[in-house]
Amino acid sequence: GTEAEQRARDWAVARLTALGFTASNGEAKRKVAEGAVRLDDVTGNDPGLILIPKDEPLKLSLGKKKHGLLLP
């Protein structure tokens, strides 16, 4: 992918790890690839997931029990 896509993917993976949803960035990448990650209740199963910054909080979910808000 492009450099922008790589930065977006790294950002998403880093947030999953920083929130404690995953133990490592590698685990976070696998969870994205498995379709276990949702942004605003939309499943993202592409490890090259593109995130567009918003002016409102973004809901990040992993599976059924882990949920967090990413503030702008």
Side-chain angles (χ1 to χ4, degrees), residues 53-72:
K54 296 166 68 170
D55 290 334
E56 63 229 26
L58 181 67
K59 180 180 174 187
L60 179 66
S61 302
L62 176 62
K64 292 182 179 182
K65 296 183 179 180
K66 294 182 180 180
H67 308 282
L69 284 179
L70 301 177
L71 302 175

Side-chain angles (χ1 to χ4, degrees), residues 1-61:
T2 68
E3 187 177 331
E5 289 171 341
Q6 182 66 41
R7 282 196 312 269
R9 176 174 56 245
D10 292 347
W11 183 88
V13 166
R15 294 306 166 277
L16 287 167
T17 305
L19 286 169
F21 287 5
T22 58
S24 67
N25 288 345
E27 181 184 356
K29 288 179 186 177
R30 284 191 298 278
K31 295 297 184 185
V32 171
E34 292 168 5
V37 177
R38 291 185 314 282
L39 292 166
D40 281 344
D41 296 322
V42 176
T43 301
N45 58 3
D46 176 6
L49 186 67
I50 298 293
L51 297 178
I52 298 175
K54 296 166 68 170
D55 290 334
E56 63 229 26
L58 181 67
K59 180 180 174 187
L60 179 66
S61 302

